[in-house]
Amino acid sequence: MKTTWIALAALSLASAGCATFEGMSNAEKGAVVGAGIGAVGGAAATNGGVLGTVGGAAVGGVIGNEVGKRR
């Protein structure tokens, strides 16, 4: 149940960030999407653990930023 709430919170934040995608660079868009995906993945991997969620968001944001730079 805790994992579900964390995943919903991450998706809510990601969708709120999508509302401002107009003025963002590709790297910034990639970081936002990557952080959302990483947070959900980290939460799922650690059964809703806070450190896993935050760590997943951080790693996902960095990877998304790098992928976005290459587009």
Side-chain angles (χ1 to χ4, degrees), residues 19-49:
T20 60
F21 263 12
E22 292 294 320
M24 296 175 106
S25 69
N26 283 340
E28 291 170 333
K29 290 176 188 177
V32 169
V33 172
I37 293 170
V40 171
T46 60
N47 292 324

Side-chain angles (χ1 to χ4, degrees), residues 3-65:
T3 304
T4 304
W5 285 108
I6 292 172
L8 287 173
L11 290 174
S12 297
L13 290 173
S15 65
C18 292
T20 60
F21 263 12
E22 292 294 320
M24 296 175 106
S25 69
N26 283 340
E28 291 170 333
K29 290 176 188 177
V32 169
V33 172
I37 293 170
V40 171
T46 60
N47 292 324
V50 175
L51 289 178
T53 304
V54 172
V59 171
V62 170
I63 292 171
N65 184 34

